[in-house]
Amino acid sequence: MVELDQTRIEQIGYDDVPGVALTNSNVIAEFLKKTKIQDVINWGRKNSLWFVVNPMGCCGVELIAVGVAHYDTDRFGIIPRNSPRHADLLIISGYVTKKYLPALKRIWDQMPAPKWVMAIGDCSISGGPFYESYSTHQNMDEIFPIDVFVPGCPPRPEAFIQGFIELQKKIEAKKDKGTEY
């Protein structure tokens, strides 16, 4: 390979230098989106959904029941995490009070991309029995980019698992509403 000094490289440009390939993160991201590597990455993402544990209200009890031996979400690679910095799924289960919303937003902001959101139960979807209450927020889809809704008051653990499966299908098909990746 021919040795060129820095001024000569600046004069002729990087494209003219033989044996030199330069890239940046945008080019790498576009390459990954268009290749089979993205399918492998999405396979890994869909089979390792780690969710933030923040059970609220009656849906929180059902969320805890999903992790016990009878339903065992670990077999799907769905593992609860206590730190938002290690999780990629935010589960909004139950009602969200106006006092709790800033903390929930902070948890969302601390999560690394790509990240997803599931709204569990009627309270988080539409307000449920607390509809138009002075202390709760309705319509979480206006605040967070909800990927999967799981209706019920409270939904059964089987519905939770079905919601996880639907989210896995979206991740595999690259049709999620989460952060672009």
Side-chain angles (χ1 to χ4, degrees), residues 92 96 101 119 122-128 131-132 136-144 146 149:
I92 302 172
V96 177
L101 185 63
D122 292 337
C123 293
S124 65
I125 295 171
S126 64
Y131 182 71
E132 292 187 354
T136 59
H137 271 284
Q138 287 79 37
N139 304 328
M140 287 291 111
D141 58 339
E142 295 174 357
I143 300 169
F144 298 101
I146 307 291
F149 294 95

Side-chain angles (χ1 to χ4, degrees), residues 52-64 90-96 100 104 117-125 140 150 155 160:
V52 178
V53 178
N54 57 349
M56 298 171 281
C58 13
C59 291
V61 176
E62 296 295 326
L63 176 63
I64 293 169
L90 175 64
I91 296 179
I92 302 172
S93 61
Y95 56 86
V96 177
Y100 185 61
L104 197 59
V117 184
M118 285 177 64
I120 306 294
D122 292 337
C123 293
S124 65
I125 295 171
M140 287 291 111
V150 179
F160 274 82

Side-chain angles (χ1 to χ4, degrees), residues 63-81:
L63 176 63
I64 293 169
V66 167
V68 298
H70 185 71
Y71 299 103
D72 191 22
T73 56
D74 292 354
R75 64 189 160 141
F76 296 111
I78 301 165
I79 301 171
R81 301 296 297 177

